[in-house]
Amino acid sequence: MTKARTLADFNATGALTSASTLNPANLDSTGTIPSALLAGIGGGGKVLNVVAANSGTTTTTSSSSYTATSLAVTIQPSAVSSKVLLTLDLNGIMTAAQNTGVGFALYKTESGYTSVVVNDILKYAGYMGSSISGVNDVQNSAGFSHLHVSNSTNSITYKVYMKKTTGSGNVKVSANGQESSLIAMEIAA
């Protein structure tokens, strides 16, 4: 059983006091718990692998069907029990007409098979309502995270797709060279 730390466990400099159940004498010279004392503690939640991609390439579409963007990462989990934390940061989201929205999805390709991981994320990102009369080309940013259970050690490519969700005209992402990013982190079970 572990004890939750309170302010009473630390002195004014932030060091553990002898009153805490974790004896400061067991810490090394940097204040770190030696790995030998951590034996038997579960290893879940550790980040095992990180892959990131950035793109400033503008993707433009007027289609209501998903269109691939240039934003993709490939990661190969080291264990079937690992999960993949996907973090998406989209910039330069633009709509060229009022009452037009843009939506995004994450797809994965594994062993030659492509499927949807998450559909209709940020469905109305970039939406411009009719209350903004005469204003076009407003740029927005949006972020999204998703924990994907891969159940595989195969190489997986995650790719961002976009579509027009409502209205008329074009929708864009990474407009005017603004970089968007996709990060995949393998998390130990």
Side-chain angles (χ1 to χ4, degrees), residues 54-58 70 173-180:
N54 296 313
S55 177
T57 302
T58 302
S70 60
V173 68
S174 297
N176 302 318
Q178 294 187 51
E179 277 200 351
S180 294

mmCIF file of all heavy atoms in Angstrom, residues 54-58 70 173-180:
data_model
loop_
_atom_site.group_PDB
_atom_site.id
_atom_site.type_symbol
_atom_site.label_atom_id
_atom_site.label_comp_id
_atom_site.label_asym_id
_atom_site.label_seq_id
_atom_site.Cartn_x
_atom_site.Cartn_y
_atom_site.Cartn_z
ATOM 1 N N ASN A 54 5.429 16.531 -38.547
ATOM 2 C CA ASN A 54 4.943 17.900 -38.723
ATOM 3 C C ASN A 54 4.745 18.138 -40.201
ATOM 4 O O ASN A 54 5.509 17.621 -41.017
ATOM 5 C CB ASN A 54 5.950 18.917 -38.188
ATOM 6 C CG ASN A 54 6.153 18.788 -36.709
ATOM 7 O OD1 ASN A 54 5.204 18.690 -35.956
ATOM 8 N ND2 ASN A 54 7.409 18.776 -36.284
ATOM 9 N N SER A 55 3.738 18.920 -40.533
ATOM 10 C CA SER A 55 3.524 19.268 -41.932
ATOM 11 C C SER A 55 2.956 20.671 -42.047
ATOM 12 O O SER A 55 2.007 21.018 -41.346
ATOM 13 C CB SER A 55 2.562 18.276 -42.595
ATOM 14 O OG SER A 55 2.306 18.674 -43.924
ATOM 15 N N GLY A 56 3.548 21.424 -42.929
ATOM 16 C CA GLY A 56 3.027 22.746 -43.257
ATOM 17 C C GLY A 56 2.430 22.755 -44.654
ATOM 18 O O GLY A 56 2.158 23.811 -45.227
ATOM 19 N N THR A 57 2.217 21.558 -45.215
ATOM 20 C CA THR A 57 1.635 21.430 -46.550
ATOM 21 C C THR A 57 0.124 21.604 -46.463
ATOM 22 O O THR A 57 -0.544 20.870 -45.746
ATOM 23 C CB THR A 57 1.960 20.050 -47.163
ATOM 24 O OG1 THR A 57 3.378 19.902 -47.209
ATOM 25 C CG2 THR A 57 1.365 19.909 -48.554
ATOM 26 N N THR A 58 -0.404 22.568 -47.195
ATOM 27 C CA THR A 58 -1.843 22.833 -47.171
ATOM 28 C C THR A 58 -2.604 21.732 -47.889
ATOM 29 O O THR A 58 -2.248 21.342 -48.996
ATOM 30 C CB THR A 58 -2.156 24.181 -47.851
ATOM 31 O OG1 THR A 58 -1.441 25.217 -47.166
ATOM 32 C CG2 THR A 58 -3.644 24.484 -47.826
ATOM 33 N N SER A 70 -1.406 15.350 -45.627
ATOM 34 C CA SER A 70 -0.017 14.878 -45.665
ATOM 35 C C SER A 70 0.490 14.488 -44.276
ATOM 36 O O SER A 70 1.637 14.092 -44.134
ATOM 37 C CB SER A 70 0.878 15.965 -46.256
ATOM 38 O OG SER A 70 0.803 17.123 -45.456
ATOM 39 N N VAL A 173 -6.539 22.796 -44.188
ATOM 40 C CA VAL A 173 -5.757 22.631 -42.971
ATOM 41 C C VAL A 173 -4.303 22.922 -43.325
ATOM 42 O O VAL A 173 -3.882 22.709 -44.462
ATOM 43 C CB VAL A 173 -5.932 21.229 -42.335
ATOM 44 C CG1 VAL A 173 -5.327 20.146 -43.204
ATOM 45 C CG2 VAL A 173 -5.357 21.190 -40.924
ATOM 46 N N SER A 174 -3.568 23.450 -42.366
ATOM 47 C CA SER A 174 -2.180 23.901 -42.560
ATOM 48 C C SER A 174 -2.105 24.985 -43.626
ATOM 49 O O SER A 174 -1.135 25.064 -44.384
ATOM 50 C CB SER A 174 -1.252 22.729 -42.900
ATOM 51 O OG SER A 174 -1.207 21.814 -41.833
ATOM 52 N N ALA A 175 -3.133 25.817 -43.670
ATOM 53 C CA ALA A 175 -3.166 26.928 -44.629
ATOM 54 C C ALA A 175 -2.027 27.899 -44.343
ATOM 55 O O ALA A 175 -1.598 28.058 -43.205
ATOM 56 C CB ALA A 175 -4.511 27.644 -44.548
ATOM 57 N N ASN A 176 -1.562 28.528 -45.378
ATOM 58 C CA ASN A 176 -0.512 29.543 -45.283
ATOM 59 C C ASN A 176 0.752 29.026 -44.597
ATOM 60 O O ASN A 176 1.443 29.764 -43.907
ATOM 61 C CB ASN A 176 -1.034 30.792 -44.568
ATOM 62 C CG ASN A 176 -2.228 31.386 -45.274
ATOM 63 O OD1 ASN A 176 -2.250 31.474 -46.501
ATOM 64 N ND2 ASN A 176 -3.248 31.761 -44.520
ATOM 65 N N GLY A 177 1.022 27.725 -44.774
ATOM 66 C CA GLY A 177 2.251 27.142 -44.243
ATOM 67 C C GLY A 177 2.261 26.905 -42.748
ATOM 68 O O GLY A 177 3.304 26.580 -42.177
ATOM 69 N N GLN A 178 1.112 27.049 -42.086
ATOM 70 C CA GLN A 178 1.075 26.797 -40.648
ATOM 71 C C GLN A 178 1.225 25.298 -40.394
ATOM 72 O O GLN A 178 0.510 24.492 -40.965
ATOM 73 C CB GLN A 178 -0.230 27.306 -40.049
ATOM 74 C CG GLN A 178 -0.347 28.812 -40.118
ATOM 75 C CD GLN A 178 -1.569 29.288 -39.373
ATOM 76 O OE1 GLN A 178 -1.785 28.922 -38.231
ATOM 77 N NE2 GLN A 178 -2.377 30.099 -40.028
ATOM 78 N N GLU A 179 2.174 24.936 -39.542
ATOM 79 C CA GLU A 179 2.448 23.517 -39.294
ATOM 80 C C GLU A 179 1.427 22.880 -38.375
ATOM 81 O O GLU A 179 1.030 23.451 -37.362
ATOM 82 C CB GLU A 179 3.839 23.335 -38.676
ATOM 83 C CG GLU A 179 4.929 23.322 -39.695
ATOM 84 C CD GLU A 179 6.203 22.680 -39.171
ATOM 85 O OE1 GLU A 179 6.318 22.380 -37.972
ATOM 86 O OE2 GLU A 179 7.100 22.487 -40.000
ATOM 87 N N SER A 180 1.021 21.689 -38.756
ATOM 88 C CA SER A 180 0.195 20.828 -37.914
ATOM 89 C C SER A 180 1.065 19.645 -37.520
ATOM 90 O O SER A 180 2.064 19.353 -38.174
ATOM 91 C CB SER A 180 -1.036 20.362 -38.687
ATOM 92 O OG SER A 180 -1.883 21.455 -38.977
#
